Amino acid sequence: MNNQPNNDLKSKLLADFRTSEERMNGASKSALHQIRREALNQFDRLGFPTVKHEEWKYTNVNSLIKEVFEFNASSELTVEDLAQLESSRLDGNVLYFVNGQYQPHLSKIVSPASQLTITTLAEAVKTTPDLLHQYFAKYADFQDNAFTALNTAFAQDGVVINVPANTTVEASTILRFVSDARHLNVASQPRNLFIVNTNAEIKIAESFRTLGDQASFTNVVTEIVVAEDARVEYYKIQNESDMAYHIGTTQVHQKDRSHFYSATVTLDGGFIRNNLNIALDGSECEAHMYGLYFPNGRQHIDNHTLVDHRKPNSHSNELYKGILEDRSTGVFNGKIFVREDAQKTNAYQSCKNVVLSNDATMNTKPQLEIFADDVKCSHGTTTGKLNEEALFYLRSRGIPKVEAQSLLMYAFAEDVIKKIKIDTLREQLERRIQAKLAR
Amino acid sequence: MLTISNLQASIGSKEILKGINLEVKAGEIHAIMGPNGSGKSTLASVLAGREDYDVTDGSVLFEGKDLLDLAPEERAAEGIFLAFQYPVEIPGVSTTNFLKTAMNEIRKYRGLEPLDAVQFLKLMKEKMKLVNIDQSLLSRSLNEGFSGGEKKRNEVFQMAMLEPKLAILDETDSGLDIDALRIVAEGVNQLRSPERATIVVTHYQRLLDYIVPDYVHVLYKGRIVKSGPKELAFELEEKGYDWIKAEVETV
Ligand SMILES: Nc1ncnc2c1ncn2[C@@H]1O[C@H](COP(=O)(O)OP(=O)(O)OP(=O)(O)O)[C@@H](O)[C@H]1O
Ligand SMILES: [Mg+2]
């Protein structure tokens, strides 16, 4: 596994870890650090994945590991700089991280402490070590995934949200991760942990943006614990540069009667791999996953999802849609496990793609592994061109070709867009998608 | 208004239209009849600009302009409208939504100001009444799950909205109940004026009781093999096409 020709990034990371460990002076004995060390060792064993690895067959990280990045580079991002990101004012709790570092002067928390506690990971390490000990790295498995191992070993900051039982967080929470790549290649490894206790409810969005033309690498891991009867809406919005590498894992753990509702929208980004893993470790759970990706140029967008039905009577539903232009590539890999105990499972999966150019490629792979006998499962993938009949119909009514195409593409994308229930976020996305379509 | 000369069109290596000649003057209504597969819809599609067909010979002039040079949307803006025999279903696009875009694109082409939402709604209400179509149908995804009759009615509604100079109705009457048939006919007759013309493709003389044509043409194997006054339609209804086929074969 250590036989990769270009493994400079790996040796650099291993060396970095040891150097920082030497400077830790005592803290290296903490339980948290033991986990980090274990994760590092696992990363060392695994190495970066090659295309020989089944899970990475279509997503080649070679060019990523050849880049040289500055990890956690400090940035003097101001409120004025943010204007370049053209984001309209977002309501609710908004937390900014730039190159992985929390930016209190750009952030605001409006929810009362009675509704949620929201802290940075760095702070939580000091103030609530017991909470971290209970949850941190307990869900996102790093035995099999080198990037999750890497994140677990290195993550310095991120957001820890804890919603007390029987509480509805009224305001939505938006976490914005900005890579400031104006001056140099930057990398960050944010780590988030959301604990939504019994019968609590929250809406959270993660947004990823890049400033500047240098390369950036974000390796993010988010763990979401959804307790009995809790309800979580989770959105991941990616709007990064063509020079951005993004690898992310969102790990969800659901207990009885909980609801998890998510949408992953990738508008732009150079090289993207999203893992969304949901363990339905309770009965009568619901999990909804929507996705939209829209690569052009040479962008590469890979969505891997995994739904693990472990208990009876739960329902999962998945719809991913893609529009691919130019020489872009897309990957959808959707796994559904239905374990022996998970009788009366309902699981639906669908992935639909429109490929607009002969040079664009979409790889889809649904994987169903069903060990229970009384289940309803269905899956389907389609990949095709824009409907020519529909295009002609619209043109015959007077709508020029380009507008007719964007009308059809927007209609295709809207199925997913309208699933986003944070209004300001949805409206912003609607505008961005219209703009990308009109290009 | 419309002059079709020796129009020949094929799809792949299959010749479908083999030399169509037809002259339609402003104010006229022409009916085109003919057996299944004779090329009626192909003719309608070629006039509307469907790119699947190759025009291999001939010309089409519309108000002096070379129609075959124009994109489908330009033809629409010039005033051509095709009511499709099989209207396509378009998920996620409502009639109301796309029709507003269409109208304003056509207005832009003609150098007119766009209609605002209020003007558009007013016009819609008026035309909805005319073709007796329900608002709820127009806000649904275009034709998705519409009944056969509803699809046809929606075509006539769009025609009423766009007020074309030349309307081509491809079997708009098939699948319609008697009441709907009358409504469709009313829609066409409303548009009847000295400046406009209509081509109706139909299999049934019945429609021609309501939309009285000036001429009836029979299209067979890619050619117009017989033309005559409205009485020709009665003759066809009574005798079928065999006698015409026989006439063609003996020539
Ligand atoms: N896309 C196509 N590919 C191959 N053949 C085609 C295509 N479109 C039309 N044709 C053929 O061209 C011929 C004429 O078809 P067209 O639809 O114009 O007939 P029509 O007169 O409208 O018939 P109907 O009365 O049944 O509507 C038919 O033989 C048909 O099969
Ligand atoms: Mg036909």
Side-chain angles (χ1 to χ4, degrees):
Chain A
M1 285 191 199
N2 287 333
N3 53 2
Q4 286 171 11
N6 261 298
N7 237 343
D8 298 352
L9 182 57
K10 183 180 168 186
S11 13
K12 178 187 177 296
L13 287 163
L14 294 174
D16 282 359
F17 190 88
R18 304 230 152 90
T19 318
S20 72
E21 209 169 33
E22 279 158 21
R23 284 199 237 107
M24 285 183 90
N25 185 24
S28 67
K29 294 206 172 57
S30 74
L32 179 63
H33 190 74
Q34 295 311 311
I35 295 174
R36 290 186 185 283
R37 185 183 288 156
E38 200 191 319
L40 186 87
N41 290 336
Q42 189 57 19
F43 167 67
D44 189 9
R45 280 191 289 272
L46 291 169
F48 285 109
T50 69
V51 290
K52 289 194 193 111
H53 192 302
E54 192 53 32
E55 294 294 305
W56 296 86
K57 193 170 166 188
Y58 300 109
T59 295
N60 189 340
V61 301
N62 246 333
S63 61
L64 161 66
I65 58 187
K66 277 182 196 153
E67 297 273 6
V68 177
F69 296 101
E70 175 87 12
F71 278 79
N72 307 318
S74 63
S75 154
E76 306 286 308
L77 205 65
T78 62
V79 176
E80 289 72 47
D81 293 328
L82 287 182
Q84 294 180 44
L85 297 175
E86 307 155 54
S87 56
S88 55
R89 198 93 190 109
L90 292 165
D91 299 334
N93 307 310
V94 182
L95 281 79
Y96 270 90
F97 288 78
V98 177
N99 298 344
Q101 301 186 22
Y102 181 54
Q103 310 289 310
H105 67 292
L106 301 174
S107 306
K108 57 166 182 169
I109 294 172
V110 299
S111 291
S114 60
Q115 286 184 10
L116 85 168
T117 50
I118 183 165
T119 49
T120 62
L121 176 64
E123 213 178 301
V125 169
K126 293 182 209 132
T127 56
T128 50
D130 293 348
L131 186 83
L132 277 192
H133 185 65
Q134 193 181 344
Y135 295 105
F136 182 82
K138 292 292 185 288
Y139 303 96
D141 171 33
F142 57 75
Q143 298 306 326
D144 261 349
N145 185 321
F147 289 98
T148 301
L150 200 57
N151 176 289
T152 308
F154 281 95
Q156 293 306 310
D157 219 345
V159 177
V160 178
I161 289 175
N162 191 0
V163 187
N166 306 313
T167 311
T168 296
V169 184
E170 279 146 31
S172 45
T173 300
I174 300 182
L175 313 181
R176 309 205 78 201
F177 298 94
V178 179
S179 293
D180 181 1
R182 287 176 298 182
H183 310 298
L184 68 170
N185 291 355
V186 295
S188 59
Q189 306 202 62
R191 177 80 180 212
N192 305 313
L193 171 62
F194 310 147
I195 303 149
V196 187
N197 288 290
T198 306
N199 195 31
E201 180 171 337
I202 190 167
K203 294 186 181 72
I204 304 175
E206 294 175 350
S207 123
F208 296 88
R209 303 295 307 261
T210 340
L211 266 182
D213 303 325
Q214 306 298 313
S216 64
F217 170 38
T218 307
N219 179 31
V220 56
V221 174
T222 296
E223 289 174 291
I224 306 177
V225 185
V226 193
E228 284 81 359
D229 299 293
R231 296 164 301 279
V232 175
E233 274 175 45
Y234 168 78
Y235 306 105
K236 180 171 181 178
I237 314 291
Q238 294 162 301
N239 197 1
E240 298 193 78
S241 80
D242 283 352
M243 295 295 288
Y245 295 88
H246 178 110
I247 294 187
T249 293
T250 298
Q251 185 74 43
V252 183
H253 192 87
Q254 287 186 246
K255 298 302 273 181
D256 291 345
R257 297 172 306 277
S258 62
H259 285 207
F260 178 75
Y261 182 100
S262 73
T264 303
V265 179
T266 312
L267 272 182
D268 275 306
F271 181 93
I272 289 182
R273 165 64 172 263
N274 294 319
N275 300 311
L276 174 59
N277 303 330
I278 301 178
L280 294 172
D281 195 17
S283 46
E284 292 167 57
C285 297
E286 273 187 39
H288 299 268
M289 294 148 279
Y290 299 98
L292 178 68
Y293 39 96
F294 194 178
N296 68 330
R298 290 177 168 275
Q299 296 175 348
H300 174 85
I301 302 176
D302 175 350
N303 279 291
H304 267 60
T305 65
L306 164 63
V307 186
D308 183 3
H309 283 267
R310 296 181 184 170
K311 300 274 165 69
N313 291 311
S314 287
H315 173 77
S316 68
N317 173 42
E318 178 169 20
L319 173 66
Y320 271 65
K321 288 188 142 192
I323 301 174
L324 293 93
E325 288 186 294
D326 307 329
R327 310 181 67 83
S328 65
T329 49
V331 180
F332 173 79
N333 183 302
K335 277 202 192 96
I336 299 175
F337 289 151
V338 181
R339 310 251 188 138
E340 214 174 328
D341 279 351
Q343 297 294 359
K344 307 266 182 216
T345 286
N346 274 326
Y348 301 102
Q349 180 191 88
S350 166
C351 175
K352 298 180 178 171
N353 302 284
V354 174
V355 179
L356 296 173
S357 130
N358 290 331
D359 298 321
T361 323
M362 181 69 211
N363 293 296
T364 55
K365 187 174 179 193
Q367 273 175 280
L368 272 59
E369 290 182 31
I370 300 170
F371 302 99
D373 45 31
D374 184 13
V375 301
K376 280 195 195 128
C377 278
S378 78
H379 68 94
T381 61
T382 58
T383 298
K385 299 214 169 292
L386 218 51
N387 183 343
E388 291 290 331
E389 293 277 315
L391 195 61
F392 176 63
Y393 188 97
L394 295 176
R395 293 179 71 190
S396 81
R397 296 298 182 248
I399 302 176
K401 188 173 180 182
V402 174
E403 275 86 71
Q405 280 173 333
S406 46
L407 205 71
L408 292 176
M409 286 189 279
Y410 191 77
F412 177 80
E414 204 184 19
D415 272 356
V416 173
I417 297 302
K418 67 185 179 205
K419 301 292 181 193
I420 294 173
K421 296 181 191 164
I422 300 178
D423 295 342
T424 45
L425 200 64
R426 187 187 57 254
E427 285 155 15
Q428 204 173 89
L429 270 173
E430 282 167 352
R431 283 194 298 277
R432 293 230 170 86
I433 289 172
Q434 301 271 20
K436 185 162 180 174
L437 286 171
R439 270 204 319 239
Chain B
M1 173 181 265
L2 181 76
T3 310
I4 305 177
S5 319
N6 187 34
L7 181 65
Q8 300 185 26
S10 51
I11 191 152
S13 59
K14 187 177 160 117
E15 269 183 76
I16 303 174
L17 302 182
K18 298 172 184 162
I20 303 269
N21 294 293
L22 181 67
E23 171 88 37
V24 178
K25 295 203 177 70
E28 293 178 348
I29 293 187
H30 289 241
I32 297 182
M33 304 181 82
N36 293 134
S38 57
K40 304 180 297 296
S41 295
T42 303
L43 175 61
S45 299
V46 169
L47 293 177
R50 192 189 282 270
E51 284 155 352
D52 305 346
Y53 299 97
D54 296 321
V55 175
T56 50
D57 206 354
S59 67
V60 181
L61 292 181
F62 180 66
E63 297 195 308
K65 287 197 180 100
D66 182 354
L67 196 67
L68 301 177
D69 250 9
L70 302 179
E73 57 269 26
E74 293 170 323
R75 300 181 194 202
E78 290 288 342
I80 288 184
F81 179 91
L82 169 62
F84 287 80
Q85 181 176 3
Y86 304 110
V88 61
E89 301 191 358
I90 310 187
V93 176
S94 70
T95 308
T96 319
N97 181 17
F98 98 86
L99 204 54
K100 182 154 186 247
T101 311
M103 285 199 83
N104 284 335
E105 287 291 345
I106 291 176
R107 291 178 69 88
K108 190 157 90 188
Y109 183 93
R110 295 178 183 165
L112 300 170
E113 287 294 309
L115 291 184
D116 62 31
V118 178
Q119 292 167 310
F120 179 77
L121 279 176
K122 186 164 169 279
L123 191 67
M124 251 195 38
K125 288 241 164 65
E126 191 185 303
K127 304 296 183 184
M128 271 162 52
K129 215 179 284 164
L130 181 71
V131 299
N132 197 6
I133 198 168
D134 216 53
Q135 170 72 55
S136 64
L137 208 60
L138 301 178
S139 2
R140 270 165 56 182
S141 277
L142 183 66
N143 292 327
E144 200 179 35
F146 284 24
S147 75
E150 286 169 340
K151 287 181 184 170
K152 296 299 172 81
R153 210 180 282 209
N154 189 296
E155 295 291 289
V156 177
F157 168 72
Q158 292 175 39
M159 181 184 75
M161 287 291 285
L162 297 173
E163 298 187 328
K165 288 185 203 153
L166 174 67
I168 305 163
L169 287 84
D170 191 358
E171 295 197 29
T172 306
D173 55 333
S174 38
L176 290 185
D177 61 45
I178 301 288
D179 292 339
L181 192 70
R182 210 173 288 130
I183 288 162
V184 167
E186 258 163 49
V188 173
N189 290 330
Q190 282 268 343
L191 279 179
R192 204 161 191 172
S193 84
E195 299 88 55
R196 301 181 202 280
T198 308
I199 297 174
V200 277
V201 174
T202 182
H203 284 295
Y204 306 105
Q205 194 277 326
R206 192 179 62 167
L207 176 69
L208 305 178
D209 285 342
Y210 299 103
I211 306 173
V212 182
D214 300 292
Y215 300 95
V216 175
H217 308 278
V218 179
L219 190 66
Y220 178 57
K221 289 192 174 167
R223 289 193 181 87
I224 290 179
V225 294
K226 195 165 192 71
S227 298
K230 64 173 188 292
E231 287 73 19
L232 178 56
F234 290 105
E235 207 175 341
L236 292 170
E237 180 94 352
E238 207 176 295
K239 303 203 277 186
Y241 290 112
D242 283 351
W243 62 285
I244 292 191
K245 290 179 186 171
E247 259 183 42
V248 174
E249 308 306 339
T250 53
V251 169

